[in-house]
Amino acid sequence: MKFRKTLSAFAVAVAAAGASLLTAPSASAADWWDYQMHTNDSDPGGRVRFKMNGDVVELCDIEADGWKVKLTIVHGYTGNVVDRMDVGGNGNCVTHSASNGHNLTEGQHYYFQIYLSKDGTPLDYDDSSDWIA
């Protein structure tokens, strides 16, 4: 009998918890982006995020280290540079999108290269990836 009461109480607790799990989940900021990449330093100083819908590219300096974060976007088939972005200062971000004139062709491959630059050095702690717009 004691086992049945415990099992019954457990079932009620699970049902109550399950009801709250059935509510619609809220979307977090991480869910909004299709792709994300960081610079390759041991404590990443830069981040780029890309959302295909609207061609939204966000480049952020995420560490107070005196380095500027830069991004180059190259069309994967033609090799043409289609966009360059840079930002400096911990917590600062810059955003380009189709709505402000930075339209990428849908279904095309683009090569995104993020890197840090200090005192004019070109490609430090770079990372790159081929993403589809």
Side-chain angles (χ1 to χ4, degrees):
M1 185 71 161
K2 200 180 250 187
F3 176 73
R4 243 185 232 171
K5 283 184 182 179
T6 303
L7 187 58
S8 176
F10 177 74
V12 169
V14 167
S20 66
L21 293 175
L22 293 176
T23 60
S26 60
S28 70
D31 295 336
W32 194 83
W33 301 98
D34 294 309
Y35 302 106
Q36 178 171 270
M37 181 171 48
H38 292 84
T39 54
N40 269 346
D41 44 326
S42 60
D43 185 18
R47 176 187 67 223
V48 60
R49 298 191 288 193
F50 176 62
K51 178 70 174 172
M52 291 185 292
N53 186 9
D55 299 332
V56 181
V57 178
E58 178 192 67
L59 183 67
C60 296
D61 186 335
I62 57 173
E63 186 174 48
D65 55 9
W67 293 72
K68 187 176 258 191
V69 182
K70 296 188 173 202
L71 178 73
T72 301
I73 304 173
V74 176
H75 190 277
Y77 300 130
T78 67
N80 295 331
V81 173
V82 295
D83 202 357
R84 292 183 196 274
M85 302 168 66
D86 64 73
V87 65
N90 184 30
N92 291 332
C93 296
V94 62
T95 303
H96 288 182
S97 67
S99 66
N100 64 15
H102 298 269
N103 194 22
L104 301 176
T105 305
E106 273 58 349
Q108 296 288 307
H109 289 261
Y110 290 89
Y111 179 75
F112 284 68
Q113 184 176 30
I114 185 173
Y115 54 96
L116 298 178
S117 179
K118 188 173 195 174
D119 302 327
T121 57
L123 297 171
D124 286 323
Y125 305 111
D126 70 312
D127 198 3
S128 59
S129 188
D130 185 30
W131 295 339
I132 298 174

